[in-house]
Amino acid sequence: MKKKMRWIVLIPLVIIATGGFSAWIVTTKWLEEGLEPKANGSNEYAIVLGAKVNKGNVPSLSLQYRLEAALAYAVENPHVKLVVSGGQGPDEDIEEALVMKNFLLDNGIAEERIIVESRSTSTYENLLFSQELLPDGVDSVTIITSDYHLHRAKKLALKLGWDTDVVAAETPEVVAGKVRLRERAALLKTYIVGK
């Protein structure tokens, strides 16, 4: 009887461990695939995905890194227009997109190159609401966001009919472990439910 009880406990544990390991391997592959293809300026529009804004309208480190990547790309590709995308979270004093726009303006990017999308509260909405602001017929865009976030953003963009290339912003070391773990769960959810 004890042996039977041991197997009743052991089999589900083995199944859970195997499933968890498999999910880890698959999501690791997805995170790596998100980094390609690298943007080369061939798309007219680049969408910069928002992240948390701290008190005093100061970009979080994640948002700062995204903005720095966007700025470098914009300077290198002066024909590209930037859609800054992010609404106001419950713990934010201002829309993320406005903080992003101000950063780019303060760093020499002309206002006519910046399109503001300030309603979104999720990655899917970032892309959906940005699409509404672009001319009809745009079927390919550049996505600028944190490296760990790119695969999911690309997958969601594909659902909206967009081909994409990417600019990967560095992930701050202080949050890397936490955000990558959370992103793995979000990737699985996206593959299951579609958003």
Side-chain angles (χ1 to χ4, degrees), residues 20-138:
F21 181 72
S22 299
W24 189 269
I25 296 297
V26 168
T27 55
T28 297
K29 182 174 180 279
W30 289 342
L31 291 173
E32 290 169 359
E33 288 173 352
L35 302 175
E36 299 292 336
K38 289 183 174 38
N40 60 9
S42 59
N43 288 320
E44 185 179 354
Y45 296 95
I47 301 173
V48 190
L49 302 184
K52 181 159 179 50
V53 172
N54 295 321
K55 293 292 177 203
N57 302 337
V58 176
S60 62
L61 204 48
S62 291
L63 184 54
Q64 184 67 35
Y65 286 2
R66 292 178 190 189
L67 288 169
E68 289 170 2
L71 177 62
Y73 188 71
V75 168
E76 191 176 304
N77 299 282
H79 61 286
V80 172
K81 295 179 180 70
L82 302 171
V83 181
V84 290
S85 179
Q88 182 176 350
D91 57 348
E92 295 174 319
D93 297 329
I94 190 173
E95 294 89 344
E96 294 165 4
L98 296 181
V99 171
M100 297 161 75
K101 176 184 178 183
N102 290 336
F103 173 90
L104 293 170
L105 289 173
D106 290 347
N107 284 277
I109 302 302
E111 188 161 10
E112 57 268 20
R113 291 182 64 193
I114 304 170
I115 300 167
V116 175
E117 183 291 299
S118 59
R119 298 184 298 143
S120 56
T121 59
S122 68
T123 303
Y124 180 72
E125 288 182 356
N126 285 141
L127 298 167
L128 178 65
F129 297 161
S130 294
Q131 188 177 50
E132 293 171 0
L133 299 174
L134 298 184
D136 291 341
V138 173

Side-chain angles (χ1 to χ4, degrees), residues 148-167:
Y148 71 86
H149 191 211
L150 284 166
H151 183 79
R152 185 160 55 99
K154 284 169 47 179
K155 178 147 182 67
L156 293 170
L158 188 60
K159 285 183 102 42
L160 296 172
W162 274 337
D163 289 326
T164 55
D165 58 17
V166 301
V167 174

